[in-house]
Amino acid sequence: MGGWSGRGGNGDTERNWGGGKVKRMGEEERRWGRGGEREEDPIVRWWGPMGWGRGRGSYGLRSWRWGTVAVAVEGISWLNMAEREIGSPGSSMHGVTGKEQSFAFSAATDQTVPIDSTAQFALPVDSEHKATVFKIYSFANPHMRAFHLSWISFFTCFVSTFAAAPLVPIIRDNLNLTKRDIGNAGIASVSGSIFSRLVMGAACDLLGPRYGCAFLIMLSAPTVFCMSFVSSAGGYVAVRFMIGFSLATFVSCQFWMSTMFNGKIIGLVNGTAAGWGNMGGGATQLLMPLLYEGIRRAGAAPFTAWRIAFFVPGWMHVIMGLLVLGLGQDLPDGNLGTLQKKGDVPKDKFSKVLWYAITNYRTWIFVLLYGMSLGVELTTDNVIAEYFFDRFDLNLHTAGTIAATFGMANIVSRPAGGLMSDMAARRFGMRGRLWNLWILQTLGGVFCICLGRANTLPLAVTSMILFSIGAQAACGATFGIIPFISRRSLGVISGLTGAGGNFGSGLTQLLFFTSSKYSTATGLTLMGIMIVACTMPVALVHFPQWGSMFLPPSERWSEEYYYGKEWNKEEKERGLHQGSLKFAENSRSERGRRVVAVTTTPDSMPASA
Amino acid sequence: MAIQGSFVASILFSYLVAACYGATFSSLQNTLVVTASPHAGQVLKAGEDNITVTWSLNTTFPAGTDSDYKTVKVKLCYAPISQQDRAWRKTVDELKKDKTCLHKIVDKPYSPSTNTFTWTVQKDVPTAIYFIRAYVHNSADKEVAFGQTTDSHKATNLFEVQAISGRHVSLDIASVCFSAFSVVALFGFFFLEKRKAKASQKS
């Protein structure tokens, strides 16, 4: 009989979708590779004539397709990242929901997501009441509402952080700025969030993501309104620095998503939220010149009109803050303050988590790499409108429109990068992901060089669009690999990578767009060369169990051994590494089509004779 | 590659165009005598103070020099010190690309006798050091001659303009009000919810 047998609380829940066991796509590929062992394939059941709409199937189908993306792009939330299964070290909200579920560790590879059938939510939820499907067009409380609130808040902060960029031609005359001042302000705008993102993680743990987001967005609203007071270069730099703090909503956004959405789809959800938020950097290039034009035509002097235009992002901050407070909730079951249930989840030691993050050389390579994808994206958000205004003699409105297409490409290119990473992994495993990242990011660099060298407008616009697709897809592809670097320290590594992105932005602005030694065009060319050069270290990233760009995997290493290495003997004896072992098993999909029947004891490398 | 080919072709084409149509500053004759009311070092306030520009043909030139002069365009131009570290005001010989003189004062039809014009410094003129230059255009609207208030090195007889700040008291007040609202609303919500949580815990 189909239906759900039992729900959370004991270890033995299995979802029975009309009789078949539902597997992850990666699993499926593996099984098909094995000769003869053709188990009943639930996917065929789903997509077959009888499969559609079976039971609660219709949305399950979508979650399957996107589940493959989720396999790769799993989770970008900050400190909370380690939790994938409830009860594992570092679980969300310190076990606030109180619904613990223990999974007996087994060599079986099924990835059942037990659905809580008694829950009264608009979307199907798991035993933690996190949604297991992602319905973009829904605003249902609490899951999808939280999604829309958090990505729009993040979008708003991007709008206000880069709001000055398209107006620089006016601001530089009003405040008598030099190129150095403009460059310093650009650097300041991305530097502030390096620190605020670190603080935000702690704030989300203490206050919940709803208050973390609302606090940041409403306390940075005054900094946006402060633009009306600015009358010198120093003031301009200071205000842009303070507005830049608001980019930490990235952390609250991702954190909130991981309290609301199940680990199987968290990758897609987080990637979409991040990509759509980043779009704000593009939207602002369109919005601010439009506002400026309108206000100027209404009769204001140019040097006053741009100040008035800044009120709009400020109001957006306040409105989004109020909406988040009024409509949002921290957890599917309610708000943190009213739901103080404490579970006895063993929480991991931060010092250990930090140690395993910083001693893994891959972390630092990705810090550099993300600086060359997200970093250059932020830098370009800051300089591109002014570049088109000056180099091609366009008016502010047109320059802004062109610059906007750069940031707006994020709506598809970032998720697409993650998707391409998944597709490459299905065939070639982790090696495919690494090659995919290298190709995308290097192409981005090449088109950046073309953008700097382009002398005509059509060529420049084309190069810019191709550059944006390359860089943003590389961002998505980066977070398709990061979840596999470490299981224990994923949160810290994600945070460090994010900070590396901002740092890369500050560095490229400092090197290429602040001094008058070379023109902006030359700066773009040099930045492109730097991207190509600094993307080469991808070749150094080697996963012993999966290989790297040029080296094959070593047969002696298993996923269990790699992830088990992060725990010492004592911790293993206490069973703290169970989550890592489960993850290791699931990560076997990163072997690609190379199917290996593996039964390894978790604690040791399989001895080779 | 096709892109490189079209790249080279477009560069060649633009050079051709420049050679055919683009006038260069170095090819212009300094045939106008231009004077302006601000004396050297004077500071003018944008939006308030006036500049009176006077120009006429320099009679030392042979008759007939002005045979194709049609219009005179008088502009406010940046002195070299205000162009430092500001590539958007760069002086380039090709006049189409030259950004020295970005602020228009007046366009008037040419007449060899003395012309004057009084101009109120506009509100969008930035704080900088300036001089005044008048370009003479022929009937094809191409520059053929010029005159300026300073010497050929652009070092003498420069004056300063003090821009408006763009700030207004009303803007400042509005800014403070909205900021205060934001902070108060946030903490109000926070404490209200805390109190509600405490109340529901007690009951």
Side-chain angles (χ1 to χ4, degrees):
Chain A
M1 180 68 182
W4 291 268
S5 47
R7 68 180 194 107
N10 50 35
D12 206 20
T13 42
E14 267 196 26
R15 183 178 50 167
N16 240 328
W17 294 95
K21 256 202 228 152
V22 193
K23 309 255 184 305
R24 287 172 13 168
M25 195 78 109
E27 262 26 74
E28 245 25 68
E29 301 280 315
R30 271 189 340 111
R31 285 182 187 264
W32 287 12
R34 284 198 200 143
E37 199 182 338
R38 204 53 77 89
E39 219 193 46
E40 185 195 279
D41 171 27
I43 303 234
V44 171
R45 284 187 63 111
W46 276 119
W47 296 0
M50 302 291 278
W52 281 83
R54 256 264 187 103
R56 300 229 186 152
S58 45
Y59 49 70
L61 171 66
R62 229 199 295 172
S63 79
W64 264 118
R65 280 186 187 272
W66 293 114
T68 58
V69 181
V71 167
V73 191
E74 275 193 313
I76 313 179
S77 82
W78 175 222
L79 290 172
N80 180 46
M81 215 38 250
E83 71 84 29
R84 194 75 61 234
E85 284 79 41
I86 313 110
S88 61
S91 287
S92 64
M93 312 309 293
H94 310 273
V96 163
T97 59
K99 294 183 175 60
E100 307 299 339
Q101 187 165 63
S102 53
F103 289 109
F105 172 72
S106 66
T109 53
D110 61 310
Q111 286 299 301
T112 53
V113 180
I115 297 293
D116 186 343
S117 55
T118 65
Q120 299 290 332
F121 290 105
L123 301 174
V125 295
D126 63 13
S127 60
E128 256 189 323
H129 290 179
K130 295 185 184 181
T132 54
V133 298
F134 181 46
K135 269 190 178 165
I136 292 188
Y137 299 115
S138 155
F139 278 84
N141 203 15
H143 308 96
M144 292 315 301
R145 199 182 285 187
F147 170 75
H148 289 293
L149 284 173
S150 69
W151 83 258
I152 298 179
S153 313
F154 186 35
F155 178 92
T156 303
C157 293
F158 248 91
V159 167
S160 59
T161 302
F162 294 102
L167 298 180
V168 162
I170 309 298
I171 302 177
R172 69 191 178 194
D173 278 344
N174 189 185
L175 305 177
N176 203 12
L177 303 176
T178 61
K179 184 166 181 185
R180 186 159 287 274
D181 296 326
I182 297 172
N184 287 340
I187 296 168
S189 67
V190 296
S191 315
S193 75
I194 294 178
F195 307 107
S196 63
R197 285 182 178 196
L198 301 175
V199 173
M200 180 56 111
C204 285
D205 263 334
L206 293 172
L207 300 171
R210 182 175 142 254
Y211 268 125
C213 179
F215 259 85
L216 181 59
I217 204 172
M218 290 185 88
L219 289 180
S220 53
T223 62
V224 182
F225 291 122
C226 264
M227 267 298 191
S228 64
F229 292 106
V230 163
S231 55
S232 69
Y236 177 62
V237 173
V239 172
R240 285 205 74 182
F241 178 70
M242 290 194 293
I243 298 178
F245 280 122
S246 64
L247 284 184
T249 34
F250 171 71
V251 176
S252 69
C253 173
Q254 309 283 280
F255 193 103
W256 205 354
M257 293 300 92
S258 52
T259 68
M260 286 286 173
F261 291 89
N262 180 272
K264 300 292 169 278
I265 53 168
I266 191 62
L268 174 70
V269 175
N270 270 337
T272 311
W276 288 6
N278 279 22
M279 253 199 329
T284 196
Q285 317 269 0
L286 208 49
L287 176 72
M288 297 306 285
L290 263 170
L291 287 173
Y292 168 77
E293 273 303 307
I295 295 169
R296 209 175 51 85
R297 291 208 190 162
F303 292 172
T304 307
W306 73 268
R307 296 166 189 274
I308 300 177
F310 259 86
F311 274 76
V312 173
W315 292 331
M316 282 167 70
H317 272 239
V318 178
I319 292 171
M320 282 318 299
L322 291 174
L323 283 176
V324 163
L325 286 174
L327 296 179
Q329 58 186 59
D330 293 306
L331 298 152
D333 295 320
N335 280 318
L336 180 55
T338 44
L339 269 195
Q340 291 287 338
K341 294 178 195 158
K342 301 241 191 289
D344 53 341
V345 176
K347 190 153 185 282
D348 206 351
K349 273 170 63 173
F350 182 66
S351 57
K352 286 247 158 186
V353 168
L354 186 63
W355 176 254
Y356 285 112
I358 60 182
T359 50
N360 192 330
Y361 75 94
R362 301 171 192 85
T363 305
W364 299 106
I365 295 183
F366 275 94
V367 167
L368 171 69
L369 286 173
Y370 202 53
M372 294 293 110
S373 55
L374 181 80
V376 301
E377 184 190 330
L378 297 182
T379 296
T380 312
D381 277 338
N382 259 334
V383 306
I384 195 74
E386 196 191 345
Y387 174 68
F388 277 104
F389 182 87
D390 288 331
R391 181 107 195 262
F392 298 101
D393 290 321
L394 306 171
N395 67 36
L396 212 60
H397 185 167
T398 314
T401 310
I402 296 175
T405 54
F406 179 83
M408 298 295 274
N410 257 309
I411 193 172
V412 286
S413 48
R414 185 162 177 153
L419 191 61
M420 282 170 70
S421 186
D422 287 340
M423 284 162 49
R426 253 183 269 160
R427 181 116 195 231
F428 301 106
M430 177 55 71
R431 298 182 80 180
R433 289 189 195 277
L434 293 167
W435 272 101
N436 173 63
L437 173 62
W438 182 81
I439 290 171
L440 287 172
Q441 201 158 310
T442 304
L443 278 178
V446 166
F447 288 119
C448 186
I449 297 174
C450 290
L451 173 62
R453 302 286 296 261
N455 274 324
T456 61
L457 188 60
L459 200 61
V461 174
T462 313
S463 304
M464 184 199 74
I465 292 176
L466 293 171
F467 168 40
S468 76
I469 294 174
Q472 290 158 11
C475 287
T478 304
F479 275 91
I481 300 174
I482 297 240
F484 295 100
I485 297 178
S486 160
R487 172 62 171 74
R488 188 173 188 181
S489 311
L490 179 52
V492 175
I493 293 178
S494 302
L496 278 171
T497 307
N502 279 56
F503 180 75
S505 178
L507 183 67
T508 46
Q509 285 181 84
L510 180 66
L511 289 175
F512 305 123
F513 299 105
T514 307
S515 88
S516 284
K517 248 199 301 181
Y518 23 73
S519 63
T520 307
T522 314
L524 285 168
T525 308
L526 292 175
M527 186 166 81
I529 295 174
M530 184 175 181
I531 295 172
V532 174
C534 292
T535 303
M536 298 215 202
V538 179
L540 298 175
V541 176
H542 181 71
F543 289 90
Q545 70 276 31
W546 297 319
S548 62
M549 273 172 74
F550 297 109
L551 298 173
S554 61
E555 293 298 331
R556 300 189 318 131
W557 283 67
S558 72
E559 289 81 359
E560 279 80 4
Y561 185 66
Y562 177 80
Y563 291 110
K565 278 186 73 189
E566 294 180 321
W567 305 89
N568 63 28
K569 202 154 163 229
E570 186 209 321
E571 288 161 338
K572 284 184 182 172
E573 272 164 19
R574 291 198 349 230
L576 294 176
H577 67 310
Q578 297 292 335
S580 284
L581 290 175
K582 262 224 156 244
F583 179 76
E585 228 187 309
N586 299 336
S587 68
R588 255 193 270 291
S589 55
E590 294 309 302
R591 295 184 181 217
R593 286 244 177 107
R594 181 178 66 88
V595 169
V596 179
V598 175
T599 23
T600 50
T601 48
D603 289 330
S604 59
M605 284 199 301
S608 48
Chain B
M1 261 168 69
I3 294 181
Q4 276 180 347
S6 59
F7 200 79
V8 173
S10 58
I11 295 176
L12 279 174
F13 185 68
S14 55
Y15 273 128
L16 266 158
V17 169
C20 293
Y21 299 105
T24 59
F25 184 70
S26 43
S27 67
L28 300 184
Q29 279 188 304
N30 190 346
T31 58
L32 284 188
V33 177
V34 183
T35 53
S37 56
H39 51 85
Q42 186 178 354
V43 179
L44 301 167
K45 288 218 177 76
E48 288 177 23
D49 294 331
N50 294 332
I51 298 178
T52 307
V53 188
T54 312
W55 67 94
S56 60
L57 180 66
N58 190 340
T59 46
T60 58
F61 283 88
T65 317
D66 61 346
S67 51
D68 59 346
Y69 290 4
K70 239 347 211 276
T71 45
V72 178
K73 299 190 180 174
V74 188
K75 295 186 178 169
L76 192 63
C77 308
Y78 294 108
I81 193 172
S82 289
Q83 295 173 305
Q84 263 176 22
D85 211 12
R86 295 176 176 88
W88 56 91
R89 295 178 184 170
K90 210 157 74 146
T91 298
V92 178
D93 200 31
E94 193 187 327
L95 285 171
K96 261 206 159 59
K97 302 211 162 126
D98 182 39
K99 307 266 174 104
T100 320
C101 303
L102 290 178
H103 302 278
K104 189 180 98 163
I105 294 180
V106 71
D107 289 355
K108 264 196 168 175
Y110 169 77
S111 93
S113 57
T114 309
N115 304 267
T116 50
F117 184 76
T118 304
W119 181 68
T120 312
V121 183
Q122 285 192 320
K123 281 191 177 170
D124 63 351
V125 175
T127 301
I129 312 284
Y130 294 93
F131 62 94
I132 294 180
R133 182 183 287 171
Y135 287 105
V136 185
H137 293 246
N138 63 11
S139 42
D141 205 26
K142 191 170 159 225
E143 295 88 346
V144 288
F146 78 99
Q148 59 190 22
T149 56
T150 183
D151 64 357
S152 58
H153 298 289
K154 299 184 276 187
T156 58
N157 207 16
L158 305 169
F159 59 94
E160 189 181 335
V161 171
Q162 203 52 257
I164 60 165
S165 74
R167 291 178 55 184
H168 281 276
V169 177
S170 54
L171 271 186
D172 295 345
I173 294 176
S175 178
V176 170
C177 285
F178 285 119
S179 306
F181 171 73
S182 183
V183 176
V184 168
L186 174 70
F187 284 108
F189 226 108
F190 186 64
F191 288 121
L192 240 122
E193 264 202 15
K194 270 219 140 109
R195 230 192 299 161
K196 246 200 280 178
K198 265 201 207 127
S200 66
Q201 259 190 357
K202 281 194 195 139
S203 59

